[in-house]
């Protein structure tokens, strides 16, 4: 399964990619903002999206909404990994169609736990 | 009695309006000399008849002097505001940007080092497995886990850079507000742009002003929401 990792921080992208590799997911493409991520997603083959929220050009929330608005993006799992911890933010992510939410800083086991949870829900649907 | 709390935008706007009114009133009155010309006949009349006219003229002259002096002090403070705006805030912003870049470079260097260290430890782990030394292999595995743990902590860089981004945006905002304040205090001959009710951010927000490391409660709230779906 190919992951799309979206974060404007190169450091965070590296950490997420390393964490994915550590838990067995080595096929990853990266983008540094929502607009670029939407392009990458349009190229096809993305099976799972991990996105930050606060990014220039297009935020992760807008990116999630844009993906959900596409015919080929209605079902793709989206995991939000962010520092935004306000309850209204988390609720906004739910409304935008995000499948799960991880607050930074996270550990690779937590990331894996959330990915597994999302995949099991998607598989059951 | 109801208490009305005004925002700083409201106060700025009220200040602008008040200063404009004072300016207009002073313009209508003209200079102290012309005021003296108006007041002199009043004073003369007062000397012959009504004492209240004399008193009014002298009060007007005193009030004009007070207001003119106040405006002079306001104009002087404009220079101080401009100095803070031009030099100190700009310098502070540059320093914050430098700190963000430095921590980003440091984090990248640490990740490079960790990648190399993990590669070496993985090699040693494989060698230990091949030589059927489970104790040594377990130690290398534990060491590799520690290195991964360190990698996790490097996320502090993203969290601090978001806080610095917020601080930088506050400085930019303060700079803009001071610029507007400085315009209010500009020489009254110049055309003054009114302070608007709201001060917009110049750049879109791509930082989290509340970025902190411990968010156990929020994660639990998210888990409760997404777990129920």
């Amino acid at each position: 399964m190919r992951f799309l990792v979206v974060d404007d921080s190169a450091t965070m992208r590296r950490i997420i990619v390393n964490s994915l590799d550590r838990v067995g997911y080595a096929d990853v493409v990266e983008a540094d903002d929502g607009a670029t991520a939407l392009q990458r997603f349009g190229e096809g083959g993305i099976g799972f999206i991990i996105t930050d929220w606060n990014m220039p050009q297009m935020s992760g929330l807008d990116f999630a909404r844009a993906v959900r608005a596409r015919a080929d993006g209605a079902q793709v799992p989206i995991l939000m990994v962010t520092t935004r911890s306000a309850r209204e933010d988390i609720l906004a992510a739910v409304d935008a169609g995000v499948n799960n939410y991880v607050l930074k800083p996270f550990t690779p086991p937590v990331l894996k736990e959330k990915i597994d949870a999302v995949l099991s829900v998607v598989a059951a649907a | 009695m109801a208490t009305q709390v005004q925002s700083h935008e409201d106060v700025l706007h009220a200040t602008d309006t008040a200063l404009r009114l004072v300016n207009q009133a002073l313009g209508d009155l003209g200079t102290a000399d012309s005021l003296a010309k108006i007041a002199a006949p009043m004073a003369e009349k007062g000397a012959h008849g009504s004492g209240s006219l004399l008193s009014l003229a002298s009060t007007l002259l005193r009030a004009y002097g007070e207001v003119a002096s106040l405006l002079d002090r306001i104009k002087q403070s404009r220079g101080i505001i401009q100095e803070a705006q031009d030099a100190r805030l700009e310098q502070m912003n540059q320093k914050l940007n430098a700190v963000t870049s430095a921590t980003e470079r440091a984090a990248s260097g640490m990740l490079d080092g960790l990648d190399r260290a993990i590669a070496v430890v993985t090699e040693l782990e494989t060698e230990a497995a091949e030589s059927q030394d489970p104790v040594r292999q377990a130690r290398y595995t534990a060491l590799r886990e520690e290195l991964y743990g360190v990698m996790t902590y490097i996320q502090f860089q993203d969290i601090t850079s978001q806080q610095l981004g917020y601080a930088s945006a506050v400085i930019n905002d303060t700079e803009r507000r001071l610029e507007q304040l400085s315009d209010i205090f500009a020489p009254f001959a110049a055309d003054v742009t009114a302070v608007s009710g709201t001060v917009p951010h110049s750049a879109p927000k791509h930082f989290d002003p509340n970025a902190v490391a411990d968010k156990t409660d929020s994660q639990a709230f998210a888990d409760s929401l997404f777990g129920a779906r």
Side-chain angles (χ1 to χ4, degrees):
Chain A
M1 181 167 50
R2 176 170 292 170
F3 280 73
L4 172 57
V5 173
V6 193
D7 201 308
D8 59 327
S9 159
T11 304
M12 278 312 303
R13 286 201 307 276
R14 266 184 85 172
I15 290 171
I16 294 170
V17 170
N18 269 324
S19 301
L20 285 173
D21 187 46
R22 192 181 159 202
V23 296
Y25 299 110
D27 190 2
V28 181
V29 289
E30 299 177 37
D32 60 3
D33 69 76
T36 313
L38 208 54
Q39 272 186 335
R40 297 267 188 282
F41 183 76
E43 289 162 11
I46 302 298
F48 201 109
I49 295 170
I50 297 179
T51 183
D52 182 25
W53 183 316
N54 298 300
M55 292 181 290
Q57 313 301 327
M58 180 190 269
S59 75
L61 196 71
D62 289 338
F63 168 61
R65 290 188 186 118
V67 168
R68 288 291 179 244
R70 294 170 57 112
D72 57 350
Q75 300 300 322
V76 66
I78 303 177
L79 176 63
M80 182 79 83
V81 179
T82 177
T83 57
R84 296 184 79 110
S85 59
R87 289 186 173 216
E88 58 267 28
D89 289 339
I90 298 169
L91 291 169
V94 173
D95 285 344
V98 165
N99 295 91
N100 215 320
Y101 204 90
V102 177
L103 287 164
K104 296 174 185 173
F106 63 90
T107 60
V110 166
L111 189 68
K112 184 178 182 341
E113 177 196 313
K114 302 299 177 198
I115 292 168
D116 290 348
V118 170
L119 290 176
S120 65
V121 170
V122 169
Chain B
M1 190 173 68
T3 307
Q4 191 181 2
V5 179
Q6 284 190 308
S7 71
H8 47 281
E9 284 96 354
D10 292 337
V11 172
L12 274 178
H13 193 72
T15 309
D16 182 26
T17 309
L19 286 172
R20 279 165 180 277
L21 286 171
V22 170
N23 182 42
Q24 193 184 339
L26 287 175
D28 291 346
L29 280 173
T31 62
D33 286 345
S34 60
L35 187 66
K37 281 176 193 163
I38 297 167
M42 291 166 74
E44 198 178 327
K45 278 186 186 173
H48 294 296
S50 165
S52 61
L53 265 180
L54 180 63
S55 166
L56 174 64
S58 109
T59 305
L60 274 174
L61 277 171
R62 223 173 37 243
Y64 181 88
E66 289 293 328
V67 172
S69 152
L70 177 68
L71 285 174
D72 273 347
R73 282 200 291 273
I74 288 173
K75 285 173 191 171
Q76 280 168 15
S77 67
R78 182 172 183 256
I80 297 167
I81 291 169
Q82 277 180 330
E83 188 198 331
Q85 179 189 326
D86 294 343
R88 294 182 190 173
L89 291 181
E90 179 60 29
Q91 201 177 35
M92 206 185 294
N93 224 344
Q94 281 173 0
K95 282 184 180 174
L96 284 180
N97 289 337
V99 171
T100 303
S101 300
T103 57
E104 203 164 334
R105 279 197 303 277
S108 178
M110 286 160 84
L111 285 171
D112 288 344
L114 283 168
D115 278 347
R116 288 191 296 272
I118 288 169
V120 171
V121 171
T122 304
E123 268 178 41
L124 293 170
E125 194 183 4
T126 308
E127 282 173 17
E130 284 168 359
S131 61
Q132 297 191 339
D133 186 344
V135 175
R136 203 153 56 95
Q137 189 188 352
R139 280 183 181 166
Y140 288 135
T141 305
L143 178 57
R144 199 167 49 129
E145 290 305 307
E146 285 295 330
L147 292 173
Y148 274 123
V150 172
M151 197 176 280
T152 300
Y153 288 116
I154 296 175
Q155 290 173 69
F156 85 88
Q157 193 275 323
D158 182 51
I159 293 166
T160 52
S161 76
Q162 296 207 36
Q163 293 279 17
L164 291 174
Y166 174 62
S168 180
V170 169
I171 288 171
N172 283 334
D173 196 48
T174 307
E175 200 173 343
R176 251 190 321 276
R177 284 165 200 269
L178 283 177
E179 196 180 329
Q180 289 175 327
L181 198 60
S182 163
D183 284 348
I184 293 174
F185 295 157
F188 290 112
D191 184 26
V192 178
T193 306
V195 174
S196 62
T198 56
V199 181
H201 282 287
S202 63
K205 271 171 55 171
H206 53 271
F207 52 79
D208 175 14
N210 303 312
V212 289
D214 184 15
K215 297 170 171 172
T216 315
D217 290 348
S218 299
Q219 185 64 66
F221 177 67
D223 291 347
S224 71
L225 278 180
F226 288 100
R229 286 159 66 84

